[in-house]
């Protein structure tokens, strides 16, 4: 949806062989959109910083962010994190 609206899309996948990310990349490219896939572990701050750098290096400053990574199990045990504390 973002690519269809003209956004360049930087997809993040846990492994370089992600079939889902590769398929989505192909769909976006087939429709003339700009996209890339970067490999990152969302539990690694260094991976996240690197992923943002790769997105900005390729497409320029970020203008929007969609995050769908998360953990469903034992979520109630996670401490509350404020924006300032993050």
């Amino acid at each position: 949806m973002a690519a269809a609206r003209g956004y360049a899309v930087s997809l993040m996948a846990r492994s370089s062989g992600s079939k889902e990310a590769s398929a989505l990349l192909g769909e976006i490219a087939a429709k003339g959109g700009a996209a890339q896939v970067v490999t990152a572990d969302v539990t690694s701050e260094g991976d996240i910083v690197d992923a943002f750098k790769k997105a900005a290096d390729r497409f320029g400053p970020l203008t929007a962010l969609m995050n769908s990574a998360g953990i469903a199990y034992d979520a109630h045990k996670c401490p509350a994190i404020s924006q300032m504390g993050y």
Side-chain angles (χ1 to χ4, degrees):
M1 185 184 303
R5 293 186 174 166
Y7 286 93
V9 178
S10 189
L11 304 163
M12 188 184 318
R14 199 175 354 182
S15 65
S16 60
S18 170
K19 293 177 185 175
E20 294 86 356
S22 294
L24 186 52
L25 179 65
E27 280 183 48
I28 293 169
K31 294 178 182 177
Q36 71 176 353
V37 177
V38 296
T39 303
D41 176 348
V42 297
T43 65
S44 166
E45 183 177 349
D47 280 8
I48 300 302
V49 170
D50 188 50
F52 272 78
K53 183 175 178 347
K54 287 177 180 175
D57 287 349
R58 173 125 185 236
F59 300 122
L62 275 65
T63 56
L65 174 66
M66 290 188 295
N67 179 16
S68 63
I71 303 170
Y73 64 91
D74 291 338
H76 64 282
K77 294 181 182 177
C78 293
I81 300 173
S82 70
Q83 186 175 7
M84 293 301 291
Y86 186 73

